Amino acid sequence: MSFLWGVMGGPSAGPQPSGAETIQKLCDRVASSTLLDDRRDAVRALKSLSKKYRLEVGTQAMEHLIHVLQTDRSDSEIIGYALDTLYNVISNDLEEEEQEENLTKVDDLGSQFTEIFIKQHENVTLLLTLVEEFDFHVRWPGVKLLTSLLKQQGPQVQQIILVSPMGVSRLMDLLADSREVIRNDGVLLLQQLTKSNAAIQKIVAFENAFERLLDIITEEGNSDGVVEDCLLLLQNLLKNNNSNQNFFKEGSYIQRMKPWFEVGDDNCGWSAQKVTNLHLMLQLVRVLVSPTNPPGATSSCQKAMFHCGLLQQLCTILMATGVPADILTETINTVSEVIRGCQMNQDYFASVNAPSNPPRPAIVVLLMSMVNERQPFVLRCAVLYCFQCFLYKNQKGQGEIVSTLLPSTIDATGNSVSAGQLLCGGLFSTDSLSNWCAAVALAHALQENATLKEQLLRVQLATSIGNPPVSLLQQCTNILSQGDKIDRRGSKVQTRVGLLMLLCTWLSNCSIAVTHFLHNPANIPFLTGQIAENLGEEEQLVQGLCALLLGISIYYNDNSLENYRKEKLKQLIEKRIGRENFIEKLGFISKHELYSRAAQKPQPGFSSPEHMMFDHEFTKLVKELEGVISKAIYKSSEEDKKEEEVKKTLEQHDNIVTQYKKVIREQDQELEELKQRITTLMSQNEQLQATVTQQVSQIQQHKDQYNLLKVQLGKDTQHHNSHGDTFQMNGIQTEEVSKLKEELEEWKNKHELLQGQIREKDFLIEKLKSSQLEIGTTELSSQSSRSGGLEHNNELQKELEMLRSQLQLQSAEISQLLIENQKLQVMNTTSDPVLGDSGAIVAKSSELEGQLEQQIKELKSEVKALSEEKESLKQHLDSSSSTVAILQDEKIKLQQEVAESKKEQDDLLVLLADQDQKLSALKIKLKDLGVPVEDEDDIESGDQGDEDEDVDEEEQD
């Protein structure tokens, strides 16, 4: 036990063993001891020696410690000691003085021991199982050890965890641990786990990581809490991961970011932690709307930020007082990317006013900072980026900026400063950085907008008292030609580069501006002189830009000035510069190191003002024009003429194609209208056919009822005739009483039948009313038919009232006849009939006969009315049939028109195919001549883009 006494500090009689010997004995004890307590003490001793004797413990004890983790899992204490020992061996977190002495050695040791540990994948899987334990003494050292492994050998450990069953899901439970230490270290572990691994990032995101992390940030007090690690983990999950960004937006997590940026009126005395938190929060917003993201995803996030009020909150910070400078700079950069290319957000930003008296637009206040040389360099770069993003794909904003320079819109009172005045002031300032920033900002106001380039030619500047005003274009060339004569603060090359970039952007794709530029006789000699000189390395950039400007003056020259036609300018280059020398000077631009930096991303990322030379959008213009200018310089006059002829021919063909396209679009619209009309007529035809079918069924019902009444009327007449004959032949007999009884029964039946018929007629009248109303609602029915239908309904109602009154009278007469019948029966039973009674009976019979004749007449009149009603219904049916026939004729005509339109369209398509063949032949000739020809898809996409922009402008209007 002497070695244990030596480790524990106890007395020792013999010489002290070395560290390696002690560690060897402890390892033997861990491997051979059967008692758990002995193994635990030995592991504890190894832990205490692991920091001082890291190499020895790592080389001798690692295998034994892994065996302890596998076999002694029931004892949390020994497991904790073993994990701590492995952490001390693998981790590079040493004391500062030791780290300074042995930095490279420490890195090598940690990496080597990590490689030994993860060589067996089962070791990492075992560690993941131990991290699931709830015991603090096991879980916490396990989390720290796994974090250290990821730091040393990240990709390898990530791959092992990724293929391990539920490996990532086990680690996600750490965020739900109630112990703050484990939760915080769990966040650090997930940071290392998600670095540069999109697959793990997706798994972590879909394991509800966003919800848990945002809950932690809210619990900690948003920007006032210790949430830096959570924000870094969120950045890992979202940066360059389109799937997670879309999931974050669809989960409405952007709305939960708004409370992060709520600031009070008093913004003095912010803590360092709050500044760090806000900086990371702003960077997180920028990750979602970065220009490197897919345009669709960026646009949707920008709209979500506007609708939830996040953009408004950021603008509040932007205009607040007392905000630290670095937070203000990062806020400006964040607002820039939130509004970049989003018309809705750009319009809102244009309406933001600073809290001043009188209120000024936020754009004006920011431009004041940009042209103020006393402001920090990074802040001025941020304002320039914000202005560029505000104008990006924003023709409305570009027009508003340029309009502040035009004579008709300048404030004559001078009470307010406009954006245009600030840009002109910066352009002609004695500070070179202000010159460059103002020139680039003004160039962005003209980007891809030929109309504004022409309008800017109207701007006149008053240079000094007594001298006539000069145009803005002339003033820029004057300052450019003066060069070193003006005393400026900063780089003089920077001012000239900025003005040349502005002129190149202004003249490109604008022949009128080229003509104005060439109209000044001093401009071309100045450019050729600059290009022909052999200047130093700093001036080579200016030479390249002068060559580009001269090339633009040739390529976009419309030959309106006789002395500066394309051919004469090419001859001038050949004589004074040389074509090869000109092309070489033109190549100085793209070969420059600062050009390559600017071409990488839209945001100006300059380490110092001297490096501020190129703008990102200008690099695109150079890439587009460099090749075509080189080809234009080598073309002969004949080739130029042929090219112009071909261009004219192409323009004519394009006009013809455009006309055909317009005709085809119009015919397509007509076809659609005709199809819609046919569909409408077919639906109306179906409705009318249904109405006709219904009316035919009603007419058939009326026919059946009419035939039934006719048959019944014939029976009644025949019976009445036979009764009169028998009465006249036989005289008054006792049998007549029984006949009268039968007749009374028949009249009762007739009475009930008439009542049923009246009910049916009531129902038919109601049906006729509804059918007349339905026919009245259709477009094809006339006012006369409606009035006739209403009169007919009124007549039917009157007849119904008459029938009801007759029915009441008949029922009263029948009741009287019943009473008389009873009396006759009594008389017949009591005594024989006498002559006087027979006379009374004869009188009654004659009276009854008269009543029957009267009722027969009424029934005949009713039958006549029904026949008239039948005739009117037949007329209605005939009119409906004629209407259906007319509609069918119209339908046939429309079908014929559609067939003719299709035939015309086929003829037009044949013509269009011929034109396309001619165009392709001409384009092949042009390509053989070396002329760049745009593809038809590009032209159509351009046309479509123009149409979309027109639609957007109409919607805005």
Side-chain angles (χ1 to χ4, degrees):
M1 296 295 290
S2 60
F3 68 95
L4 286 177
W5 284 106
V7 172
M8 300 302 178
S12 178
Q16 294 292 332
S18 63
E21 293 175 353
T22 305
I23 291 168
Q24 181 61 46
K25 292 178 181 179
L26 289 172
C27 291
D28 294 340
R29 190 58 180 254
V30 171
S32 60
S33 179
T34 57
L35 295 177
L36 180 60
D37 293 338
D38 290 344
R39 293 199 301 275
R40 187 189 304 120
D41 293 338
V43 173
R44 185 189 298 117
L46 286 172
K47 175 188 171 184
S48 62
L49 294 172
S50 59
K51 288 187 178 180
K52 187 175 181 180
Y53 299 100
R54 182 182 178 192
L55 178 61
E56 291 79 1
V57 173
T59 54
Q60 299 181 39
M62 182 176 287
E63 184 178 353
H64 301 293
L65 293 173
I66 294 173
H67 183 70
V68 168
L69 295 178
Q70 294 172 346
T71 57
D72 292 331
R73 290 184 57 183
S74 59
D75 186 70
S76 60
E77 191 174 356
I78 191 172
I79 294 293
Y81 292 149
L83 291 172
D84 284 333
T85 306
L86 288 171
Y87 173 74
N88 292 336
V89 169
I90 291 173
S91 175
N92 291 331
D93 300 335
L94 299 178
E95 299 295 332
E96 293 183 1
E97 58 272 11
E98 296 179 4
Q99 204 166 12
E100 291 175 359
E101 295 174 0
N102 304 317
L103 185 60
T104 56
K105 184 179 178 181
V106 163
D107 289 340
D108 291 340
L109 278 178
S111 178
Q112 290 172 7
F113 287 138
T114 302
E115 192 172 351
I116 293 170
F117 184 84
I118 67 173
K119 192 172 183 180
Q120 298 294 329
H121 294 181
E122 295 81 5
N123 295 339
V124 180
T125 306
L126 174 63
L127 190 55
L128 290 173
T129 307
L130 293 173
V131 168
E132 283 189 294
E133 297 289 338
F134 186 74
D135 194 315
F136 181 82
H137 297 290
V138 176
R139 195 170 207 183
W140 187 39
V143 170
K144 292 194 296 181
L145 176 58
L146 191 54
T147 305
S148 182
L149 292 173
L150 286 163
K151 286 181 180 179
Q152 301 295 335
Q153 298 286 341
Q156 292 86 342
V157 180
Q158 285 175 342
Q159 192 61 32
I160 295 171
I161 294 174
L162 191 59
V163 299
S164 176
M166 299 294 291
V168 179
S169 301
R170 295 176 186 177
L171 300 178
M172 287 301 299
D173 293 336
L174 298 172
L175 295 179
D177 200 304
S178 58
R179 293 161 294 192
E180 191 171 348
V181 176
I182 294 179
R183 187 192 69 185
N184 293 342
D185 282 347
V187 173
L188 295 175
L189 169 61
L190 290 173
Q191 277 185 37
Q192 299 297 326
L193 181 64
T194 55
K195 273 186 179 178
S196 305
N197 193 309
I200 293 179
Q201 289 169 2
K202 291 179 182 179
I203 296 172
V204 171
F206 283 95
E207 288 284 346
N208 208 20
F210 293 138
E211 184 76 28
R212 297 183 185 181
L213 291 172
L214 292 173
D215 288 341
I216 293 172
I217 293 173
T218 304
E219 290 171 7
E220 293 291 331
N222 294 326
S223 60
D224 294 321
V226 184
V227 293
E228 181 178 352
D229 296 330
C230 293
L231 294 170
L232 289 172
L233 177 55
L234 283 172
Q235 282 192 23
N236 281 357
L237 295 175
L238 293 173
K239 195 169 186 178
N240 299 325
N241 194 317
N242 300 327
S243 175
N244 283 2
Q245 289 174 6
N246 187 55
F247 180 66
F248 191 85
K249 179 186 68 70
E250 296 295 336
S252 301
Y253 295 119
I254 291 177
Q255 288 80 341
R256 297 186 61 177
M257 298 170 71
K258 182 186 175 185
W260 296 355
F261 304 102
E262 292 177 355
V263 295
D265 297 331
D266 185 13
N267 296 314
C268 299
W270 283 14
S271 65
Q273 184 64 57
K274 183 170 183 177
V275 172
T276 303
N277 290 342
L278 267 176
H279 203 273
L280 291 171
M281 288 171 176
L282 291 169
Q283 287 180 351
L284 189 61
V285 175
R286 293 184 65 184
V287 165
L288 294 170
V289 292
S290 173
T292 58
N293 293 343
T298 300
S299 177
S300 59
C301 289
Q302 287 173 333
K303 292 176 181 177
M305 289 177 184
F306 175 79
H307 290 303
C308 74
L310 181 58
L311 175 59
Q312 295 83 331
Q313 203 68 44
L314 293 173
C315 291
T316 303
I317 298 176
L318 196 65
M319 295 292 107
T321 56
V323 178
D326 53 346
I327 294 298
L328 181 61
T329 303
E330 190 64 23
T331 303
I332 294 173
N333 288 327
T334 306
V335 171
S336 304
E337 294 183 351
V338 173
I339 67 173
R340 187 176 188 270
C342 181
Q343 188 67 51
M344 178 172 58
N345 293 2
Q346 288 167 339
D347 292 342
Y348 171 77
F349 184 69
S351 66
V352 175
N353 289 323
S356 59
N357 192 13
R360 288 177 176 173
I363 297 173
V364 174
V365 175
L366 292 174
L367 287 178
M368 287 180 177
S369 301
M370 186 185 74
V371 298
N372 187 353
E373 56 186 301
R374 291 190 296 271
Q375 293 293 339
F377 172 67
V378 290
L379 179 62
R380 298 174 74 180
C381 290
V383 173
L384 176 62
Y385 183 47
C386 184
F387 191 72
Q388 291 173 352
C389 291
F390 170 68
L391 297 178
Y392 182 70
K393 294 184 179 179
N394 184 11
Q395 291 192 350
K396 179 182 177 183
Q398 288 176 324
E400 291 172 354
I401 297 298
V402 173
S403 66
T404 59
L405 287 166
L406 299 179
S408 59
T409 57
I410 294 177
D411 187 4
T413 61
N415 293 330
S416 61
V417 180
S418 66
Q421 292 170 343
L422 288 171
L423 291 176
C424 283
L427 194 62
F428 308 127
S429 170
T430 55
D431 177 37
S432 61
L433 184 59
S434 297
N435 300 153
W436 191 91
C437 290
V440 170
L442 196 55
H444 275 263
L446 303 175
Q447 199 79 34
E448 298 179 358
N449 200 323
T451 305
L452 295 182
K453 292 177 182 178
E454 296 176 8
Q455 290 185 5
L456 201 63
L457 296 171
R458 297 166 44 204
V459 177
Q460 300 289 321
L461 302 174
T463 55
S464 59
I465 300 173
N467 293 329
V470 296
S471 67
L472 177 60
L473 182 64
Q474 180 64 43
Q475 184 66 12
C476 290
T477 55
N478 290 342
I479 296 173
L480 190 62
S481 61
Q482 291 174 7
D484 298 336
K485 298 177 183 179
I486 301 176
D487 186 17
R488 299 183 184 279
R489 292 181 297 277
S491 173
K492 295 179 181 179
V493 174
Q494 191 176 45
T495 299
R496 299 167 72 187
V497 169
L499 288 171
L500 285 168
M501 285 196 300
L502 172 60
L503 290 173
C504 290
T505 305
W506 195 346
L507 269 60
S508 64
N509 204 20
C510 184
S511 300
I512 298 175
V514 171
T515 304
H516 278 73
F517 178 76
L518 295 175
H519 199 270
N520 186 352
N523 288 339
I524 295 300
F526 168 74
L527 292 178
T528 54
Q530 288 286 318
I531 299 168
E533 289 183 6
N534 292 321
L535 303 175
E537 187 176 351
E538 292 183 357
E539 296 291 334
Q540 286 183 352
L541 195 55
V542 176
Q543 287 184 318
L545 290 170
C546 288
L548 179 65
L549 183 58
L550 183 57
I552 290 172
S553 301
I554 295 173
Y555 186 72
Y556 292 105
N557 192 346
D558 59 356
N559 294 328
S560 58
L561 295 177
E562 184 64 29
N563 294 333
Y564 296 102
R565 296 175 65 86
K566 287 184 179 182
E567 188 60 32
K568 291 186 177 181
L569 291 175
K570 290 179 185 179
Q571 292 174 2
L572 185 64
I573 291 174
E574 180 68 27
K575 290 178 182 179
R576 295 191 180 180
I577 306 171
R579 291 181 180 176
E580 290 78 9
N581 192 22
F582 178 85
I583 299 300
E584 182 184 357
K585 298 291 177 69
L586 183 62
F588 285 164
I589 303 174
S590 56
K591 293 176 183 177
H592 203 279
E593 180 185 359
L594 297 177
Y595 174 89
S596 302
R597 290 185 189 175
Q600 291 175 0
K601 58 180 181 178
Q603 183 182 0
F606 306 108
S607 57
S608 64
E610 291 76 19
H611 294 159
M612 212 168 185
M613 287 293 175
F614 286 109
D615 171 59
H616 179 75
E617 293 296 327
F618 182 73
T619 60
K620 295 181 180 178
L621 181 66
V622 172
K623 192 181 297 184
E624 177 185 347
L625 294 178
E626 188 175 7
V628 295
I629 289 174
S630 300
K631 291 180 181 178
I633 294 299
Y634 283 101
K635 284 180 182 176
S636 62
S637 58
E638 295 179 357
E639 290 177 346
D640 285 338
K641 289 180 181 178
K642 288 181 180 179
E643 182 182 349
E644 289 179 1
E645 291 177 359
V646 171
K647 281 185 178 179
K648 289 180 181 178
T649 307
L650 284 174
E651 288 177 358
Q652 292 176 357
H653 284 292
D654 289 340
N655 292 332
I656 294 172
V657 171
T658 304
Q659 290 177 359
Y660 278 127
K661 286 181 179 179
K662 185 178 180 181
V663 171
I664 290 172
R665 288 193 195 101
E666 291 176 354
Q667 289 186 346
D668 286 338
Q669 291 178 357
E670 291 177 359
L671 282 173
E672 289 297 327
E673 291 176 357
L674 289 172
K675 287 179 180 178
Q676 293 178 358
R677 188 177 174 189
I678 288 172
T679 304
T680 305
L681 290 174
M682 288 177 68
S683 62
Q684 291 179 356
N685 186 20
E686 290 175 357
Q687 292 177 358
L688 289 172
Q689 285 180 352
T691 306
V692 168
T693 305
Q694 186 178 3
Q695 289 180 349
V696 168
S697 63
Q698 290 177 356
I699 289 169
Q700 187 63 38
Q701 290 178 1
H702 286 302
K703 283 182 178 180
D704 295 339
Q705 291 176 1
Y706 171 73
N707 293 329
L708 180 63
L709 290 172
K710 189 175 181 180
V711 170
Q712 290 177 353
L713 183 63
K715 288 182 179 180
D716 292 340
T717 305
Q718 183 179 3
H719 178 74
H720 176 70
N721 292 335
S722 62
H723 175 74
D725 293 338
T726 54
F727 182 77
Q728 290 176 358
M729 290 173 62
N730 300 328
I732 298 172
Q733 298 176 1
T734 56
E735 296 176 354
E736 290 178 354
V737 176
S738 60
K739 290 181 180 180
L740 286 174
K741 289 181 181 180
E742 293 174 359
E743 287 176 358
L744 283 174
E745 293 296 329
E746 288 177 0
W747 279 111
K748 285 181 182 180
N749 295 331
K750 287 179 182 180
H751 175 67
E752 292 175 357
L753 181 62
L754 286 173
Q755 283 183 341
Q757 291 175 356
I758 288 170
R759 292 192 198 97
E760 290 176 357
K761 284 198 174 290
D762 289 340
F763 179 72
L764 288 173
I765 288 167
E766 292 299 324
K767 269 194 173 181
L768 287 171
K769 283 183 182 179
S770 61
S771 63
Q772 289 294 331
L773 288 173
E774 289 175 358
I775 296 171
T777 55
T778 58
E779 296 179 356
L780 301 173
S781 63
S782 63
Q783 294 294 333
S784 61
S785 64
R786 289 185 200 154
S787 60
L790 291 172
E791 291 176 0
H792 185 66
N793 288 335
N794 293 332
E795 291 176 0
L796 289 174
Q797 287 180 353
K798 289 179 181 179
E799 290 178 1
L800 179 63
E801 295 296 329
M802 290 174 61
L803 287 173
R804 285 177 178 171
S805 61
Q806 290 177 4
L807 183 63
Q808 291 176 357
L809 292 173
Q810 287 179 0
S811 61
E813 290 176 358
I814 288 170
S815 61
Q816 290 179 0
L817 288 173
L818 287 172
I819 295 170
E820 291 176 358
N821 186 23
Q822 291 177 358
K823 290 180 179 179
L824 288 172
Q825 286 179 354
V826 171
M827 292 172 63
N828 189 26
T829 55
T830 53
S831 61
D832 293 331
V834 292
L835 187 60
D837 294 332
S838 298
I841 291 171
V842 169
K844 288 288 182 180
S845 298
S846 62
E847 184 180 356
L848 182 60
E849 185 178 356
Q851 290 178 357
L852 289 173
E853 289 177 355
Q854 185 178 359
Q855 289 178 359
I856 288 168
K857 289 179 182 180
E858 289 173 356
L859 288 173
K860 286 180 178 181
S861 63
E862 183 179 356
V863 169
K864 185 178 180 181
L866 288 173
S867 62
E868 290 175 357
E869 182 181 357
K870 175 184 174 183
E871 293 297 326
S872 65
L873 290 173
K874 283 184 179 180
Q875 291 176 1
H876 283 302
L877 179 61
D878 295 335
S879 63
S880 300
S881 301
S882 62
T883 303
V884 172
I886 291 169
L887 289 174
Q888 288 178 349
D889 293 337
E890 288 183 0
K891 178 180 176 183
I892 293 168
K893 289 179 181 179
L894 289 173
Q895 289 176 349
Q896 293 175 354
E897 289 177 2
V898 170
E900 292 175 359
S901 299
K902 287 182 178 178
K903 185 178 179 182
E904 291 177 1
Q905 187 175 6
D906 293 335
D907 296 336
L908 287 173
L909 289 173
V910 171
L911 290 174
L912 186 58
D914 294 337
Q915 294 294 334
D916 287 336
Q917 291 177 358
K918 293 179 182 179
L919 278 173
S920 60
L922 289 170
K923 286 179 180 177
I924 291 169
K925 290 181 181 179
L926 278 175
K927 288 180 180 178
D928 294 336
L929 293 173
V931 178
V933 180
E934 293 181 349
D935 291 332
E936 203 170 20
D937 294 336
D938 297 335
I939 295 173
E940 291 183 356
S941 64
D943 293 342
Q944 187 65 31
D946 293 339
E947 292 177 4
D948 294 340
E949 289 175 359
D950 293 340
V951 173
D952 292 339
E953 290 176 358
E954 290 176 2
E955 290 178 353
Q956 292 170 6
D957 293 338

